Amino acid sequence: RLLMTEPNVLLLDEPTNDLDIETLTSLEDVLDGWVGTLLVVSHDRYLLERMCDRQVALLGDGAVRDLPGGVEEYLRLRHDARLRRVDEKSGSAPAGAAEPSARAVVDPARQREARKEMARVERALAKLSTEQDRVHAAMVEKATDHHAMAELDVRTRELDAQREKLEGAWLQAAESAD
């Protein structure tokens, strides 16, 4: 109901807890098209990767930390913090801690955006496929009505053009995600 009033900011605390799959999918579809500001507190990694352009974390040191690498960066920082704690207790250099410069330079924000775009296109393709199935079923029903068949043929061509465009968008997003 809140979404019907068209607010420009939504604050969501664990919005996916206790939802069935159908409701969860519907919520994600609505939030994916959200044009306002969305502040989400969640442990749902998939939701965060799909919905959020920017992620921040509380790592236990009292500071809010920006995470341009998303959840992957959070997990790495948490792992590195554990290694430092173990190192402080043992008094030796942390094993396995890599310098950030030693890692391959990847733009995680761009990859995350590309994955979000791929997911959006995949949902659109699924809806388009359902529509195409509906049109094909209507063609079977109206096989003897040439006027209806002509209209359905036009609709089929429109849907094919949309599919081609969406598949191109998916390929572009997939290249960016790699």
Side-chain angles (χ1 to χ4, degrees):
R1 288 187 212 162
L2 180 63
L3 295 176
M4 301 289 273
T5 64
E6 298 183 22
N8 64 357
V9 176
L10 282 180
L11 305 173
L12 303 172
D13 183 11
E14 296 292 349
T16 59
N17 283 5
D18 305 318
L19 296 180
D20 59 72
I21 299 298
E22 187 177 325
T23 306
L24 178 62
T25 303
S26 295
L27 175 67
E28 288 174 350
D29 288 342
V30 169
L31 294 178
D32 196 35
W34 182 254
V35 293
T37 300
L38 187 62
L39 178 66
V40 181
V41 176
S42 182
H43 290 92
D44 185 341
R45 179 178 182 169
Y46 177 75
L47 177 81
L48 293 173
E49 293 286 339
R50 180 175 170 191
M51 297 293 134
C52 301
D53 296 329
R54 182 172 174 210
Q55 296 177 19
V56 297
L58 302 171
L59 296 173
D61 58 0
V64 176
R65 192 84 169 266
D66 189 35
L67 300 173
V71 175
E72 290 295 327
E73 183 175 353
Y74 169 75
L75 294 173
R76 183 184 57 76
L77 289 171
R78 209 172 80 181
H79 175 71
D80 290 351
R82 282 189 190 139
L83 288 176
R84 279 193 299 281
R85 283 194 299 270
V86 168
D87 176 49
E88 289 170 1
K89 289 180 182 178
S90 67
S92 64
E99 292 293 317
S101 60
R103 296 175 186 238
V105 177
V106 178
D107 186 357
R110 182 171 289 156
Q111 283 182 326
R112 196 168 46 257
E113 281 299 315
R115 286 192 303 266
K116 282 174 62 176
E117 177 65 11
M118 286 172 62
R120 185 194 66 76
V121 170
E122 287 168 1
R123 287 189 309 278
L125 283 168
K127 289 178 184 176
L128 188 63
S129 180
T130 301
E131 176 66 12
Q132 284 179 316
D133 291 345
R134 190 188 65 73
V135 170
H136 289 153
M139 289 176 109
V140 169
E141 287 178 21
K142 309 222 184 230
T144 58
D145 182 355
H146 69 279
H147 292 293
M149 287 298 288
E151 291 173 6
L152 290 169
D153 183 59
V154 168
R155 181 66 180 143
T156 300
R157 292 175 194 271
E158 290 171 354
L159 293 172
D160 288 341
Q162 287 177 10
R163 175 174 291 283
E164 209 170 297
K165 184 178 175 184
L166 285 170
E167 287 172 347
W170 188 91
L171 286 172
Q172 272 188 318
E175 287 176 7
S176 295
D178 292 338

